């Protein structure tokens, strides 16, 4: 449930009071540390965590949030000794990651409770004792499905009895072919929230039964192959007085890249406002303004073809500037930016495997997206010029490529996603193949004796060869000539020589000789 700021801050304050306890109290605390990792053992960032404590026969969580793992997949929290606890992770966070980015991952993981349970009810209980007050819970979350890119749903309507409320914003969700379901909720102060019977569509008209109650909607998007995503609308009370702008919210300016849009409205006295901007449903936090009657947003080239929202939440404040319960009103204006949506970069830049030499095969990665329904296209480039017919994931280097920069451009199109995703690999310079010869060590492997590196059959001549002598696989400082005088430090060690063969327009080759053990 989305909590109101005053309630949230009050609950958080109550929770944090014991953390500043006296030394005697501190001694009765332990620490729960949680670690969320994926199937590959790598840490999972921004996974929601919950510590459930058994209270009055029920498993109760801490009523604040979002509680998220850090970049190392970890969290830590103080708990009273003697309590019974269960630890769970939920990969269902869709929100701000930093000031400029919104957290959306291509793959989502199964919600998992320690050690490997699929629900709180099936989880294992741990008891904090005076002898073992703390514990680290490492939980591996299996991959479940693709991740959606949802949009914070918004509410439009008066919050008056017998006047409809409507959920908006679904048009920005990706994939666009998701199926939406709705559950309207009602809650009175001091009482648990309950679903409103029969209220399961995008529009709901409050009745007298909800008068004085907080009302909001939960929106869930589902699609085969995707993990369902659930987000909630803003919340306010039905009935009462909901402050309205003295003049409607409007957006002025040219909706084209490079231009500036301005959202403005008539702001009554003794009110507080939040003006937010969204591009194709993604919040633009740098442009959010609080307490102001206007806000500006610069349309970037990357916003071409996008739908831009300006959203306003307005509420009444009392003489002390505090929120007046249930006085909110919500408003939205949309504009369509001219042009077509540009391609976005892939999450990971493709890398080319293989030796870039004539006759050898270069290979682009075949797995560039987790979406099995995606269309992936390849185009190999010689410099900045496309190579005719080179549209497969593999490319055989030709003589014409010698000394040219070869790259591959990968394009991904996903059903239900409005943007294509395109990235180009770093360039690799094609070379002719160098004929690899031999490298051997001649001489007596004895202290004070001289060893000589012998190379033969390298070509085509001339080939420049550099030497590096090795002791037990490690570089011997300064030993870079064709000959090497065995030293006392080499006793009972294995001596090798590594050669690097170079020739303009040919692929550099590195080869190491067999070892010679120095016995005395």
């Amino acid at each position: 449930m989305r909590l109101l700021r005053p309630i949230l801050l009050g609950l958080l304050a109550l929770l944090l009071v014991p953390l500043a306890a006296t030394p005697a109290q501190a001694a009765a605390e332990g620490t729960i540390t949680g670690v969320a990792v994926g199937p590959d053992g790598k840490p999972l960032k921004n996974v929601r965590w919950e510590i459930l404590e058994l209270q009055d026969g029920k498993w109760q969580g801490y009523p604040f949030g979002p509680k998220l793992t850090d970049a190392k997949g970890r969290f830590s929290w103080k708990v009273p000794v003697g309590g019974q606890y269960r630890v769970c992770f939920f990969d269902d966070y869709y929100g701000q990651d930093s000031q400029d980015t919104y957290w959306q991952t291509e793959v989502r993981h199964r919600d998992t409770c320690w050690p490997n349970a699929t629900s709180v009810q099936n989880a294992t209980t741990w008891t904090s004792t005076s002898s073992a007050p703390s514990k680290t819970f490492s939980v591996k979350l299996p991959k479940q499905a693709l991740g959606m890119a949802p949009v914070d749903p918004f509410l439009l309507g008066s919050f008056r009895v017998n006047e409809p409320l409507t959920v908006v914003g679904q048009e920005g969700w990706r994939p666009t072919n998701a199926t939406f379901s709705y559950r309207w909720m009602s809650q009175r102060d001091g009482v648990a929230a309950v679903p409103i019977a029969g209220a399961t569509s995008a529009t709901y008209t409050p009745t007298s039964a909800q008068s004085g109650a907080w009302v909001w909607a939960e929106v869930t998007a589902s699609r085969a192959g995707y993990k369902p995503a659930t987000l909630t609308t803003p919340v306010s009370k039905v009935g009462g007085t909901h402050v309205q702008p003295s003049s409607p919210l409007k957006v002025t300016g040219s909706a084209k890249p490079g231009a500036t849009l301005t959202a403005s409205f008539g702001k009554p006295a003794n009110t507080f406002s939040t003006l937010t901007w969204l591009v194709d449903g993604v919040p633009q936090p740098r442009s959010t303004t609080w307490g102001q009657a206007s806000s500006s947003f610069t349309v970037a080239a990357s916003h071409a073809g996008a739908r831009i929202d300006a959203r306003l939440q307005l509420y009444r404040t009392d003489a002390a500037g505090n929120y007046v319960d249930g006085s909110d009103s919500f408003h939205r204006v949309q504009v369509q930016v001219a042009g077509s949506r540009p391609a976005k970069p892939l999450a990971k830049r493709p890398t080319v495997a293989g030796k870039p030499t004539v006759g050898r095969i270069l290979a682009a990665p075949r797995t560039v997206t987790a979406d099995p329904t995606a269309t992936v296209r390849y185009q190999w480039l010689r410099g900045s010029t496309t190579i005719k017919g080179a549209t497969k994931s593999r490319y055989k280097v030709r003589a014409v490529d010698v000394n040219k920069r070869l790259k591959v451009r990968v394009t991904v199109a996903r059903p239900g996603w409005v943007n294509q995703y395109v990235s180009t690999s770093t360039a690799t310079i094609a070379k002719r193949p160098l004929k690899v010869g031999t490298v051997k060590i001649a001489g007596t492997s004895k202290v004070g004796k001289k060893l000589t590196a012998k190379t033969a059959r390298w070509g085509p001549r001339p080939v420049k060869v550099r030497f590096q002598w090795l002791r037990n696989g490690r570089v011997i400082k300064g030993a870079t000539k064709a000959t090497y005088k065995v030293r006392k430090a080499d006793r009972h060690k294995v001596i090798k020589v590594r050669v690097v063969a170079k020739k303009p327009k040919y692929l550099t080759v590195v080869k190491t000789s067999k070892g010679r053990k120095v016995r005395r």
Side-chain angles (χ1 to χ4, degrees), residues 174-464:
R174 275 91 67 208
T176 56
N177 49 7
T179 300
F180 292 94
S181 59
Y182 305 88
R183 185 170 78 155
W184 289 84
M185 304 293 292
S186 174
Q187 183 179 26
R188 296 189 179 276
D189 292 338
V191 181
V194 294
I196 300 173
T200 56
S201 65
T203 297
Y204 171 69
T205 300
T207 68
S208 57
Q210 284 84 48
S211 183
W214 300 95
V215 169
W216 69 96
E218 295 177 350
V219 182
T220 300
S222 303
R223 178 72 183 171
Y226 286 82
K227 183 175 182 177
T230 300
L231 295 178
T232 60
T233 67
V235 57
S236 195
K237 276 187 176 180
V238 173
T241 302
H242 292 263
V243 65
Q244 298 295 322
S246 56
S247 60
L249 175 67
K250 63 181 180 180
V251 173
T252 57
S254 180
K256 62 182 182 180
T260 298
L261 300 175
T262 300
S264 60
F265 67 100
K267 185 177 180 296
N270 303 316
T271 60
F272 188 85
S273 62
T274 303
L275 264 171
T276 58
W277 294 89
L278 299 90
V279 176
D280 276 340
V282 178
Q284 308 296 306
R286 282 187 179 272
S287 300
T288 300
T289 58
W290 295 271
Q292 304 297 317
S294 65
S295 176
S296 295
F297 179 74
T298 300
V299 183
S302 60
H303 301 151
R307 182 186 292 110
I308 293 182
D309 282 25
R311 294 183 179 182
L312 168 66
Q313 179 182 5
L314 183 68
Y315 61 79
R316 184 80 64 190
T317 57
D318 61 19
N322 298 315
Y323 169 74
V324 174
D325 276 4
S327 62
D328 317 75
S329 67
F330 304 96
H331 311 268
R332 179 183 77 155
V333 174
Q334 288 187 315
V335 295
Q336 181 69 42
V337 181
S340 301
R341 288 179 173 87
K344 292 186 175 182
L346 292 168
K348 186 178 180 181
R349 190 175 190 179
T351 56
V352 173
K355 288 187 176 183
T357 186
V358 175
R360 301 295 288 268
I361 300 293
L362 297 180
R366 293 191 177 183
T367 304
V368 292
T369 174
D371 188 348
T373 65
T375 300
V376 181
R377 300 194 305 273
Y378 300 90
Q379 177 61 64
W380 290 88
L381 308 171
R382 184 183 297 120
S384 58
T385 304
T386 59
I387 301 174
K388 188 176 180 179
T391 56
K392 304 293 185 183
S393 63
R394 296 162 67 86
Y395 175 71
K396 188 174 183 179
V397 182
R398 311 166 190 176
V400 70
D401 299 321
V402 171
N403 240 27
K404 301 294 194 304
R405 299 167 65 86
L406 296 179
K407 297 178 286 187
V408 63
R409 183 171 62 225
V410 182
T411 302
V412 176
R414 301 178 63 189
W417 294 74
V418 294
N419 293 89
Q420 287 192 337
Y421 297 83
V422 181
S423 287
T424 302
S425 68
T426 55
T428 182
I429 298 177
K431 302 286 185 179
R432 296 184 186 277
L434 192 68
K435 181 183 177 183
V436 180
T438 61
V439 54
K440 297 179 180 179
I441 296 176
T444 303
S445 50
K446 182 178 179 181
V447 174
K449 298 294 185 180
K450 185 181 291 185
L451 298 177
T452 301
K454 299 285 189 180
T455 58
R457 296 192 296 276
W458 292 80
R461 293 184 177 184
V463 176
K464 185 177 180 180

